[in-house]
Amino acid sequence: MQDTILRKLDALVERHQEVEQLLSQPEVISDQEKFRELNREYSRLQVLVDSYRDYKTSLDDLEEMQMMLDGDDEDMKVMAQEEFEPTKEKVSKLEHDLQLLLLPHDDKDDCNCFLEIRAGTGGDEAALFAGELYRAYTKYVETKGWSLEVVSESEGEVGGYKEVIAKLSGEGAYGFMKFESGGHRVQRVPATESQGRVHTSACTVMVLPEIPASKAPEVNPADLRIDTFRASGAGGQHINKTDSAIRITHIPTGIVVECQDQRSQHRNRERAMEVLLSRLAQLEEDKRLAEQTEQRQSILSSGDRSDRIRTYNFPQSRVTDHRINLTLYRLAEVMEGDLDLLLHPVIEEYQAEQLAEMARQGGL
């Protein structure tokens, strides 16, 4: 491993010790936001420190085995030969793991997120597929141990959703789900198709990180138009008796957010503002990226909902992720919530991009 990487690792071990001391200081403990931030950093650094310690131990073992192989004791040589290759493989894997742990950490990856699914071209069939995709996400959320809370929903005429927005809460929710942003195309024979012809329809997905209050963009109250209305659809009798639903319009950008799934007008307004702030923060981030003169192409370079990222072909039980040219014939498993089949290869490719970029810049 290069000396520059070893120096970085040694510096991070020192930072780990520093953060450990900071977490015991009364002024940090009393500042809950600072305490949580440092605690997350400590947890990330702990993984790196443990891996680095394991790496150095394995490296020492390897050197000791090499000395045994170079020695005259035949019994020791036999023992060293048995362990040398497995230990060498372990050292190589730990080197790779440490390089991944050195990649720049995006604090937003730790955030909760908002998942927005909208039916696109294809009419009723698009709405039905939006509903099935939402169901797949809810099952995935369960497997991750996260929680899901519906913010807003507009049902399709024959089922599914014209639009559904949900908040996903859990460790690393945005870090995983951000790779779902983009266009999702479905190819299958609709139930209403009498000739058995395959139709193509689509829906769009946008995943936005929940923005902490301390990092939220400033919004002038005069720029907001807030309307109340009576909630419709699911939610029980109580929700339909009062004007508890909220619609917030950000006049300068034209962004409109509705929330009607909470029991009180106050909670609906609070949740709608959270979504609005996330959208405004994403708008600022998109502008920042667009202003970069040499923005390199990346799996996450756009996130534009018009970018088709995946095709679900039901007749062939095939799902294809176009960003990494991955095709799997396990569509049923994916639609039952086993999204890691797709997400893990995408994340690995994204990490490989980051490693290559750091190497070009001399960071690795």
Side-chain angles (χ1 to χ4, degrees), residues 97-282:
D97 291 346
L98 285 168
Q99 288 181 356
L100 292 179
L101 290 168
L102 284 173
L103 290 174
H105 180 76
D106 186 347
D107 289 338
K108 294 195 295 292
D109 286 352
D110 300 324
C111 293
N112 301 329
C113 64
F114 293 101
L115 170 70
E116 304 183 4
I117 307 173
R118 292 180 178 81
T121 55
D124 291 341
E125 175 64 12
L128 288 170
F129 180 62
E132 291 173 46
L133 195 57
Y134 175 69
R135 175 178 173 273
Y137 288 136
T138 60
K139 286 183 170 290
Y140 182 65
V141 165
E142 290 173 9
T143 64
K144 302 295 285 187
W146 303 337
S147 63
L148 181 147
E149 181 183 5
V150 174
V151 173
S152 173
E153 58 185 354
S154 174
E155 296 180 354
E157 294 178 7
V158 297
Y161 294 104
K162 294 177 182 177
E163 175 185 281
V164 59
I165 302 175
K167 180 181 179 180
L168 311 187
S169 301
E171 189 67 34
Y174 179 70
F176 279 91
M177 293 301 296
K178 66 183 180 183
F179 295 98
E180 289 300 295
S181 286
H184 295 245
R185 184 176 68 172
V186 59
Q187 297 171 327
R188 64 181 175 187
V189 180
T192 55
E193 171 57 61
S194 59
Q195 302 297 318
R197 292 172 297 188
V198 173
H199 287 226
T200 298
S201 55
C203 67
T204 58
V205 174
M206 180 61 77
V207 180
L208 303 168
E210 181 185 31
I211 305 301
S214 60
K215 298 179 181 178
E218 290 188 15
V219 176
N220 185 345
D223 290 338
L224 300 178
R225 184 172 71 245
I226 301 177
D227 303 306
T228 59
F229 59 98
R230 187 158 298 181
S232 60
Q237 295 180 350
H238 168 80
I239 201 166
N240 291 316
K241 289 180 179 178
T242 60
D243 290 341
S244 60
I246 290 288
R247 180 185 299 112
I248 300 179
T249 303
H250 185 248
I251 298 168
T253 61
I255 294 174
V256 179
V257 178
E258 291 183 2
C259 184
Q260 58 176 295
D261 274 61
Q262 304 300 313
R263 289 288 183 181
S264 72
Q265 187 181 111
H266 173 73
R267 286 290 293 138
N268 279 325
R269 178 171 177 158
E270 186 179 77
R271 183 65 77 237
M273 276 301 298
E274 288 177 354
V275 177
L276 176 63
L277 290 173
S278 291
R279 288 191 187 173
L280 289 173
Q282 187 64 45

Side-chain angles (χ1 to χ4, degrees), residues 71-82:
D72 298 326
D73 190 322
E74 292 302 322
D75 290 338
M76 298 296 280
K77 280 186 177 182
V78 171
M79 188 187 303
Q81 283 173 343
E82 290 177 355

Side-chain angles (χ1 to χ4, degrees), residues 48-95:
L48 182 142
V49 167
D50 290 343
S51 294
Y52 188 34
R53 186 181 297 121
D54 199 6
Y55 168 75
K56 289 198 291 187
T57 300
S58 299
L59 207 58
D60 290 341
D61 291 343
L62 203 60
E63 290 177 2
E64 188 175 335
M65 290 174 198
Q66 187 62 58
M67 290 174 63
M68 292 162 63
L69 289 170
D70 294 338
D72 298 326
D73 190 322
E74 292 302 322
D75 290 338
M76 298 296 280
K77 280 186 177 182
V78 171
M79 188 187 303
Q81 283 173 343
E82 290 177 355
E83 297 295 328
F84 189 82
E85 283 303 321
T87 305
K88 189 177 179 181
E89 289 177 9
K90 182 180 180 181
V91 168
S92 179
K93 182 182 183 304
L94 285 167
E95 278 191 8

